[in-house]
Structures are given as structure tokens and as C-alpha cells.
Amino acid sequence: MIIVKRKPLEEILEMTKDFKKLLILGCDGCASIIQVGGERQARILKLLLEMGQKIKGNGKLKAQAISILRQCDRQIATSSLDPIIAEYDAVVSLSCGVGVQTIADLYKGKLIIPAINTHFLGMHDTKAEKFYEMCLACGDCLLFETGGVCPLTRCAKSLLNGPCGGQASGKCEVGGWQNDCAWVLIYNRLKARNQLDLFGKFRMPRDYRVSGHPRELGGEKENEEGKT
Amino acid sequence: MRREAHSKLMKQINEGNFVFTGELEPVKTTKLDEVIEGARILKDHVVAINITDNPTAFGYMNALVPSYMIQREAGVEAVYQMTTRDRNRLGLISDVLAAGALGIKNILALTGDHTTVGDTPQAKPVFDLDSATFVYMLRKMMDEGVDLNNNQIEDPPKFSIGIAAAPNADPLEPELLKIKRKVDLGIDFIQTQCVYSAEQAQNFLEAASFLKTPILIGIAPFKSISMMDWMIKFVPGIKVPKEIEEILRKAKKIGGKQAVYEANVEIFGEMLKEIRKTTTAAGIHTMAIGFEWIVPKIIERAGL
Ligand code: SF4
Ligand code: SF4
């Protein structure tokens, strides 16, 4: 899931202060699942913005809050937004950076204001109410070799051949020995499965072109197969 | 198979001599006097001196220049420490070639502490290579005369390659397996982080004996009680036995700074003697940054 967090209200108020008619656009995808950018949060933000601008003396703001199934899907976005978007001066998006950019690309004349900071691809730990980064989308997954623990993401140095000398009692030097050392996690997993040969394997320098920006995948062929 | 020794350090190790190495830290300065002075103090007591590379991620003078200068000015061989934290593979190649041009004989290949623990924590950490992939690249450059992409190197460099080890790592097995990767790639020697008893050295050397690689045990006397307190508090994995702590504290109370120095000589002299007598260590790596003069005293006390 893409882990996001709402921006401070002050920042959103500042970005929206010149607009009188705003569409507050929630996203029912990842942002909604973790209760940051769904319909409810869009409605709350609408109220906060209307109140905030009034208190700040920026005149009367008329906002409407809706949410769509996924802002990152062009088809879903156009079918929901085409009929209504003309009514608004700007859109406040509660989706990740992909959603914001998809909407911005679809409606180039419209200002799309991000109300969300996009953090990482991660996992929700319901008990501790915390989110953990799990994947950098590196384009060359090696989880098979590393016991299902991603060293690129979960090792602070993205080491392919860890652990480094900074681990102590299985904790990482980064952040003051609070977080697990990914390479000790990997070791424990592989050891439990009798796969220490995989641990001892030397991993060659990575080809960083695979994860260089900006990346594209597929081409005409894939589009023809229906993935627009 | 023993590789050819490209440095005095490796020659001495291969000849079976018990060797000492020292450590100097160029800091945030444009002056080289202190490093050269430190090298002169250590010169007759160690076979080579490590020059640290932005230790604990503090932005200091580039290690290559003092590595070269202690060889030229003080006539003592350098172990040029190189971390993969601050340069990508292009930067590493450049510096390795430059080191070759300047007559550096030893490289210690390190990953390096993370930028966030240093004095410029906002910096973007590099870690394009890690210490293992760096060793791989060094071997390719030296043995095949090419870089990672098989581009020819004119006059390939020759070094003896060392790596670091954490003797008190807990758990120890992943640490050993990690070292094994680099041993298999082809390194010449290992220098460990500091131990605080012959027993710690012994335990590690036994566990690491399957690596069949010369290991220099690291020792780091305490310059002051506050330094000891800091190490105990902030450097996990450092196990200072209670009695050492007590002896040093007592010394400080009774005789102040001078007594702490003397107690250090006593404690570490004894430890060295014990390590020499009871273990298979190839030598000792001494780290006494800022009070290098204590190293000869400790070695003398050990009767070595
Ligand atoms: S190796 Fe890590 S970053 Fe790469 S795809 Fe797999 S989980 Fe993601
Ligand atoms: S302690 Fe472990 S997780 Fe942290 S940087 Fe070192 S190898 Fe990576």
C-alpha cells in the first residue's frame, strides 16, 4: 500500500487561499484504507478549509467533498470528474503523488493542490498503529534470496551484502539502535529455513539503471491489450 | 593460495611477524602537521598507520592526502581507509587510481557509518557499493586490470586489501558469514574494532579461524574517563569489563589524568601480552587518536 499522511492544515490553507470554489477530492484506494484520504477525510477537510479561510478573513469558500474509486486510474477519474470539474476553480487532492499527477495530467488547465504527503510503499501494523516501509520498487526484486525481507528498503544503507558493523543485538545504528537490522532479520529467516547458503552468497553491484528516474514500463503492445 | 604481498604490512604478516598498526584521524582542518607528527611518534613502533575516512560520518579532510603525506614526510606506510558512504563507484575508482599513483600500498575497504550518525546528518548517503562489492571491484582492478565494466586500466594499481570486523557482534554468525563473502572475493587482512579483554579477542579469533585470514585485533585505550563513559553509553557492541572501568575511575580519582594514562598502559599492556601469548592474532591494531604517544608505552609494557 502507498503510505500517505495529510499535510499540516496551515499549509493547505495557504495553498488554497486564493480560490472560492474548491473540489476536495478523496481517493478510495490506499489513502482511504489507511484513513487519510477517503471520503470521510475529504468531508472533514472541506469543513476545516471553509472554517479556516473564514477565520483568516479570506472570504467565503465554497467547497464540495467527494471521493472516487482511484485517482491513479485515468478511466475512473475521467468518468467521475468530466461531468463536474468545470464548476471548480481548483481541486484539492487527497491521494498520493500518483493520483495528484494523474488528475493534473487529465485536466491540464486546472490547478491540482496536493493535501497529502506521499511517504512510502509500506505495511500497516494494526497493533502499534504504525506504518513500515517495505519496498523501494527497485525493479529487480531479490526477496527470494533474502528470506522475504527487503535489504534495499529495510537496511538503512541498502546493503546487498550486510550486515554492516553498525548492528548491535540485532538493531541498526541508524535511529539509535531502535529499529531491527534488516540483515539480522534476513539471517534469522534464512537460518530457520536452513538456507544460510543464500545468506552467504555474494551479491554483485546493482545496476542502478533499473531504478533510475523516470521509469516507464511496457509500450503500445501492452496498451493494445487493454491497459491504457 | 597466498597472494603476493604488495605492502610492507602484508610482507611482515606473511613472514609470521606479530605486527602493530596505528591509526590517525585527519580532522576538519587544512593543516597536516598533527597527522604527520602523530605518524612520526608511531613510526618506529608500528608497521603501518590507518588514515580514517570521515570517521563516524564527520566531514573531515580527505584521507588520501594524509595517507600520502605520512609516507612521504614520516616514512611510514599508510593503510588508506575508504568508505563507500560518500562516493559512488565512479568516485571510488578515481580515488583508487589516485591512491595507486601516489604509492599507497594498503586499502581498508569499509562500508562506513551512516550519514545520519555524523556531523552532517542531512547529507544524502551514497552506498552505491558496499564493502563487499567494493572489494570485488578492487580485485577486478588489480587482478584483471579492468574496472567493473571491463574497461581497461592502464598500469593497474596494486594494493594489499584489508577489511574491518566487529569481534563483539551479537549475533556473531551473520558477521562471520559476511566476512567470509569478502574473504572468498580475496582480501589480505582483517583489522577488528576494539576488544577490551584477551578473552574477547580469543573468542572471536576462534570463531573466525575458518576464514584462514590474518586478523589484527583492535585495541583502543581510553584517553579520558568521559571518553570511556561516552563509548559505554553510545557504542553498543563495546563491552568494557567492569574491572577495567573501576581501575580507570579509581586512577582518575587518586591521580588525575596522568594516573589514567598509567592505568591504561598497565591494562592494555597486560591485555596485549595475553593476546600475544594465548591467541592466533596476526597483530594488534592500535587506536589512540590524539594521544599516539601512549602506543609505544603499551607495547613496551607488553614486552613485545
Ligand atoms: S528487492 Fe525490495 S525494493 Fe526491490 S522490488 Fe523487491 S521488495 Fe521492492
Ligand atoms: S545495522 Fe543492519 S540495517 Fe542498519 S545499516 Fe547496518 S546492515 Fe543495514
Side-chain angles (χ1 to χ4, degrees):
Chain A
M1 184 155 45
I2 299 178
I3 307 301
V4 297
K5 207 177 157 195
R6 211 196 71 201
K7 283 177 176 288
L9 185 62
E10 259 320 300
E11 192 183 338
I12 308 173
L13 282 169
E14 180 60 27
M15 290 186 289
T16 53
K17 69 176 191 290
D18 297 329
F19 302 100
K20 296 288 161 267
K21 286 183 85 183
L22 281 180
L23 179 65
I24 317 290
L25 185 60
C27 177
D28 294 339
C30 310
S32 158
I33 298 166
I34 61 172
Q35 299 179 20
V36 178
E39 198 191 344
R40 202 167 149 257
Q41 290 76 33
R43 273 192 275 122
I44 293 168
L45 183 61
K46 164 193 143 80
L47 294 175
L48 289 173
L49 289 181
E50 285 176 345
M51 239 156 47
Q53 300 299 17
K54 199 169 156 192
I55 292 166
K56 284 179 173 289
N58 289 335
K60 193 167 163 58
L61 166 69
K62 259 195 79 190
Q64 193 195 339
I66 64 162
S67 88
I68 64 175
L69 208 50
R70 271 192 301 279
Q71 293 190 24
C72 59
D73 186 311
R74 298 171 75 91
Q75 244 158 24
I76 291 172
T78 29
S79 64
S80 315
L81 295 178
D82 270 358
I84 57 167
I85 191 120
E87 296 167 35
Y88 301 95
D89 304 335
V91 178
V92 175
S93 164
L94 283 128
S95 91
C96 69
V98 181
V100 174
Q101 292 182 70
T102 305
I103 308 294
D105 196 51
L106 284 171
Y107 304 104
K108 296 198 175 65
K110 239 356 126 193
L111 182 67
I112 315 296
I113 297 165
I116 294 276
N117 286 322
T118 304
H119 288 265
F120 49 78
L121 305 186
M123 175 186 85
H124 188 192
D125 157 6
T126 39
K127 254 200 251 141
E129 284 297 322
K130 273 180 81 170
F131 299 100
Y132 300 91
E133 186 174 20
M134 290 287 145
C135 175
L136 293 181
C138 76
D140 186 13
C141 194
L142 45 84
L143 285 174
F144 174 74
E145 287 185 7
T146 56
V149 174
C150 173
L152 290 176
T153 313
R154 296 168 72 183
C155 163
K157 299 176 186 171
S158 293
L159 302 181
L160 293 175
N161 296 287
C164 73
Q167 80 85 9
S169 307
K171 300 291 178 184
C172 173
E173 71 180 22
V174 175
W177 291 278
Q178 301 289 311
N179 305 330
D180 290 332
C181 165
W183 275 100
V184 172
L185 293 178
I186 293 168
Y187 163 78
N188 288 335
R189 292 257 183 106
L190 291 175
K191 191 182 165 98
R193 272 187 230 147
N194 242 329
Q195 285 187 306
L196 278 184
D197 52 322
L198 278 178
F199 185 89
K201 187 183 155 191
F202 167 64
R203 282 172 207 50
M204 293 282 277
R206 273 192 91 236
D207 181 349
Y208 276 95
R209 288 174 301 186
V210 180
S211 20
H213 310 298
R215 287 179 270 181
E216 286 176 16
L217 258 191
E220 276 161 26
K221 197 124 182 258
E222 283 188 31
N223 288 339
E224 273 165 29
E225 283 163 10
K227 294 177 197 145
T228 41
Chain B
M1 185 203 75
R2 267 259 158 96
R3 260 177 308 274
E4 192 193 334
H6 296 298
S7 67
K8 210 160 120 190
L9 170 63
M10 261 334 280
K11 278 192 191 113
Q12 291 226 1
I13 292 174
N14 286 350
E15 280 163 17
N17 294 340
F18 191 77
V19 297
F20 290 94
T21 51
E23 185 156 307
L24 291 168
E25 187 176 294
V27 291
K28 222 182 272 290
T29 175
T30 55
K31 286 221 167 64
L32 283 159
D33 317 12
E34 257 180 57
V35 170
I36 292 169
E37 183 50 31
R40 289 202 173 108
I41 292 169
L42 288 172
K43 181 185 162 150
D44 293 329
H45 311 279
V46 301
V47 51
I49 300 174
N50 290 40
I51 302 290
T52 54
D53 175 17
N54 290 351
T56 61
F58 278 53
Y60 288 160
M61 184 195 291
N62 178 314
L64 180 55
V65 173
S67 294
Y68 168 68
M69 290 300 277
I70 64 159
Q71 297 199 155
R72 200 184 81 175
E73 299 296 314
V76 52
E77 191 169 280
V79 178
Y80 172 34
Q81 297 196 177
M82 293 184 79
T83 76
T84 64
R85 175 195 53 233
D86 306 323
R87 307 157 265 213
N88 65 11
R89 57 195 90 174
L90 286 174
L92 288 167
I93 290 172
S94 301
D95 287 353
V96 167
L97 293 175
L102 291 177
I104 301 300
K105 305 292 182 200
N106 304 287
I107 287 179
L108 194 76
L110 303 168
T111 299
D113 297 317
H114 196 270
T115 44
T116 52
V117 306
D119 72 351
T120 312
Q122 304 83 353
K124 182 177 184 183
V126 180
F127 302 116
D128 177 20
L129 300 185
D130 57 31
S131 56
T133 45
F134 183 28
V135 167
Y136 171 78
M137 182 175 87
L138 282 166
R139 284 256 70 95
K140 235 173 129 71
M141 292 176 77
M142 289 162 52
D143 301 343
E144 299 168 39
V146 294
D147 66 14
L148 281 173
N149 288 299
N150 297 318
N151 299 306
Q152 215 64 37
I153 297 169
E154 225 181 283
D155 280 316
K158 298 253 178 280
F159 306 103
S160 291
I161 305 296
I163 57 164
N168 290 321
D170 169 30
L172 186 61
E173 196 181 16
E175 175 73 14
L176 292 168
L177 292 173
K178 167 195 86 175
I179 299 170
K180 174 77 164 49
R181 290 190 202 112
K182 293 184 261 193
V183 167
D184 290 345
L185 288 168
I187 54 146
D188 299 296
F189 65 94
I190 297 171
Q191 289 174 318
T192 76
Q193 310 287 8
C194 38
V195 302
Y196 289 99
S197 71
E199 200 192 333
Q200 288 173 13
Q202 169 81 349
N203 290 343
F204 178 71
L205 287 162
E206 264 170 31
S209 63
F210 76 106
L211 298 167
K212 300 196 173 28
T213 304
I215 298 177
L216 279 67
I217 294 293
I219 63 149
F222 296 110
K223 199 175 173 194
S224 63
I225 300 295
S226 53
M227 177 201 165
M228 177 174 78
D229 287 338
W230 186 88
M231 300 268 294
I232 294 171
K233 192 155 173 220
F234 293 111
V235 190
I238 282 198
K239 290 178 189 151
V240 184
K242 271 275 165 288
E243 66 234 63
I244 291 188
E245 217 187 304
E246 273 156 25
I247 292 169
L248 287 171
R249 275 188 215 292
K250 220 175 181 174
K252 167 87 187 188
K253 242 188 228 145
I254 296 167
K257 221 169 161 180
Q258 193 53 37
V260 173
Y261 288 143
E262 278 159 23
N264 262 303
V265 172
E266 196 58 31
I267 292 165
F268 288 94
E270 265 309 303
M271 194 189 301
L272 246 68
K273 200 161 144 192
E274 191 70 13
I275 292 174
R276 174 75 178 110
K277 213 168 70 190
T278 60
T279 76
T280 54
I284 300 288
H285 176 57
T286 62
M287 295 166 267
I289 304 293
F291 63 135
E292 292 78 17
W293 52 265
I294 204 165
V295 171
K297 291 199 174 6
I298 292 173
I299 297 175
E300 194 192 344
R301 173 64 185 74
L304 297 170

